[in-house]
Amino acid sequence: MTDEITELKRRLARIADTPRQRPQIAIPPLAARGRRKLRARRACAVAGSAVAVGLVVTLAATGLPRIGARSGRPASPPSRPATGTYPNPLVRRAIFGWLPKGYVTATVMEDHQNGQHTFEAMAGLDGGRGGIIDLTDFGAGPEPILGHLSGGRPARPLPATPVNGRPAHWIAQPGDKDGGRLRWQYGPHRWAEISVLGAADDVGTIHRIAKSIMFGAAQPVAFPFRIRGLPDGLTIYRSTAGPGLGRGTGESAGVSFGAGAYSPNNGLEISVNPAGLMKRQLATDPGRRITVGGHRAVDRRTTSGGVARHTLIVLDVNGFDVTVQASGQTLQRLQTTGGVTGLYQRITVLGTAPSRWTTTPFA
C-alpha cells in the first residue's frame, strides 16, 4: 500500500470519528475510488490539485474533439426531460501564501456532504514521500468536534500561540505519530486546520504556514472538460482536481453527484485521468471489452444487494482515460438521457493546455 493511500485511510478514519465534519462514509469503497483518483493525481510533488487540476469524484483531459467523434455518435434518445444547470463545483477559497522549500500544492477538494461545506488543499514534498501538508477550511459554523487520534486516543485541545491574533490550539502537537495538527479560528464562526506529516512537522513551520494562508479567495477552478445534458435535480457532493502526489505529470479531476443522499450505492462519478493509469487495474477487470467512439473501453454492469451499478471506462481518449460510473437512484435518473453511455458521449475534452479549460464545465 502506498504512503498516499495509508494517509488517505488515516484521514478517513479521523473523519469517521468526527461526523460533524464529514458524513459517515464506508472506508473500503471510498479508499478504492480514492486509489484510482489519487494515482491519477500522483504527479507533482504533492497531494491532489484542483480535483481541478486536472481537475472524487476525479478528472484531467486532453484533446479538442468531442469524445466519441471518431466513429459517429449514436442517435440521441427520442425524448429528454429538462436538463440541469450546475455551478462550478470547485472554488478555491483558501490559498497557501507560503510553503517550505520544495513543497508544491497538488490537489484541491470541495465537499458538500451532510450539510457541511469544506474546502481542502494538499501540498507535498517529493511526491508526498518527504512530507504532506493538508489544509482544511471548515467554512461557516461552530468549531467541529475534535474526534480521536490514532489508536482511539481522544483528541483534546492543547495550548497554542494565536494565529494572526486569533484563538488557536493543537489537536496533536508536532512530533506526534499522527503528525502535528493545528486548528484556529480565522474569522467569526470560521475554523481551519493544518495537518502536517514529515519534514515540516515542527511548531515554527506550521505556524508560519498557518499565518500565510489567504482565506476568501473565491477562485473558480478550471476544468479540462465540458459536459452537456446532465439531468436536473442532482446535487454536487464532492469534487477534486490536481496531479496529486507522486511522480506523474498529468492532471486529474473528478466530480461526484447524487439524486438524493449520496453514498457508494447512490451516485454519479465522472473522472478523467492521464491515459495509461487505468491499464494495470483493468487487466483483471471483469467488465466487457467493447469499443466506444473508436476507443477501447470496459463496460461493467453489476447488481448487488438490489443496487444496480454501471461503470464505463474509455481508454486513451485524446491522451486520457475517462470514467463514468452511476449507481442506485442516480443511475435510474440517467436512463432517460441515454444512461451512462449517453452521458459519456456528451463529454467534451478540452485539451491539456490550461488556457483551454473552463470554469463552467456544466454550463
Side-chain angles (χ1 to χ4, degrees), residues 51-65:
V51 180
V53 182
L55 282 170
V56 192
V57 159
T58 294
L59 316 171
T62 253
L64 298 177

Side-chain angles (χ1 to χ4, degrees), residues 5-323:
I5 297 304
T6 300
E7 169 62 8
L8 175 64
K9 283 183 173 290
R10 183 185 74 78
R11 290 173 49 230
L12 288 171
R14 191 179 80 202
I15 289 168
D17 285 329
T18 57
R20 293 184 63 185
Q21 298 178 35
R22 308 270 185 152
Q24 299 297 321
I25 299 174
I27 292 177
L30 183 56
R33 293 201 307 275
R35 182 177 295 107
R36 186 172 64 247
K37 292 177 287 190
L38 289 171
R39 280 177 181 165
R41 296 196 302 261
R42 287 185 79 88
C44 296
V46 173
S49 138
V51 180
V53 182
L55 282 170
V56 192
V57 159
T58 294
L59 316 171
T62 253
L64 298 177
R66 185 171 316 276
I67 291 175
R70 291 187 187 178
S71 64
R73 293 166 50 194
S76 300
S79 62
R80 291 174 182 267
T83 55
T85 299
Y86 298 90
N88 185 306
L90 186 56
V91 176
R92 291 176 182 264
R93 67 182 199 222
I95 298 174
F96 291 113
W98 177 86
L99 287 169
K101 183 177 180 180
Y103 278 81
V104 180
T105 302
T107 296
V108 295
M109 295 171 262
E110 191 163 350
D111 197 312
H112 294 263
Q113 299 181 74
N114 273 10
Q116 302 296 311
H117 183 189
T118 61
F119 172 81
E120 189 170 358
M122 299 178 72
L125 174 66
D126 187 24
R129 292 177 292 278
I132 296 174
I133 299 170
D134 187 351
L135 162 67
T136 301
D137 177 358
F138 296 107
E143 179 185 3
I145 61 176
L146 301 184
H148 292 76
L149 304 176
S150 62
R153 296 174 295 155
R156 296 185 176 87
L158 302 172
T161 302
V163 175
N164 294 327
R166 293 188 173 275
H169 51 257
W170 296 103
I171 296 176
Q173 291 184 322
D176 187 274
K177 63 181 179 179
D178 285 332
R181 288 174 58 190
L182 177 67
R183 184 179 290 184
W184 73 103
Q185 186 176 20
Y186 67 86
H189 308 292
R190 291 182 178 275
W191 291 84
E193 179 178 319
I194 289 180
S195 176
V196 177
L197 287 171
D201 187 21
D202 67 79
V203 173
T205 301
I206 293 175
H207 266 278
R208 183 175 177 183
I209 296 169
K211 290 177 181 178
S212 79
I213 293 170
M214 297 172 283
F215 294 97
Q219 296 180 357
V221 169
F223 281 72
F225 64 89
R226 182 176 288 111
I227 302 174
R228 298 180 299 106
L230 278 172
D232 63 355
L234 300 181
T235 299
I236 298 173
Y237 283 98
R238 193 166 190 265
S239 52
T240 64
L245 293 174
R247 291 167 291 182
T249 57
E251 300 287 351
S252 296
V255 183
S256 296
F257 298 82
Y262 175 83
S263 77
N265 292 323
N266 176 38
L268 166 65
E269 297 176 10
I270 303 168
S271 68
V272 298
N273 300 302
L277 287 174
M278 306 293 293
K279 185 175 181 180
R280 191 173 194 181
Q281 175 185 337
L282 294 177
T284 57
D285 193 288
R288 293 187 304 123
R289 271 54 181 174
I290 63 173
T291 299
V292 179
H295 302 281
R296 292 180 300 122
V298 173
D299 186 288
R300 187 190 328 124
R301 306 179 192 222
T302 61
T303 301
S304 177
V307 177
R309 184 184 308 278
H310 184 186
T311 302
L312 178 66
I313 304 171
V314 186
L315 303 176
D316 200 9
V317 179
N318 297 319
F320 290 84
D321 298 336
V322 181
T323 300

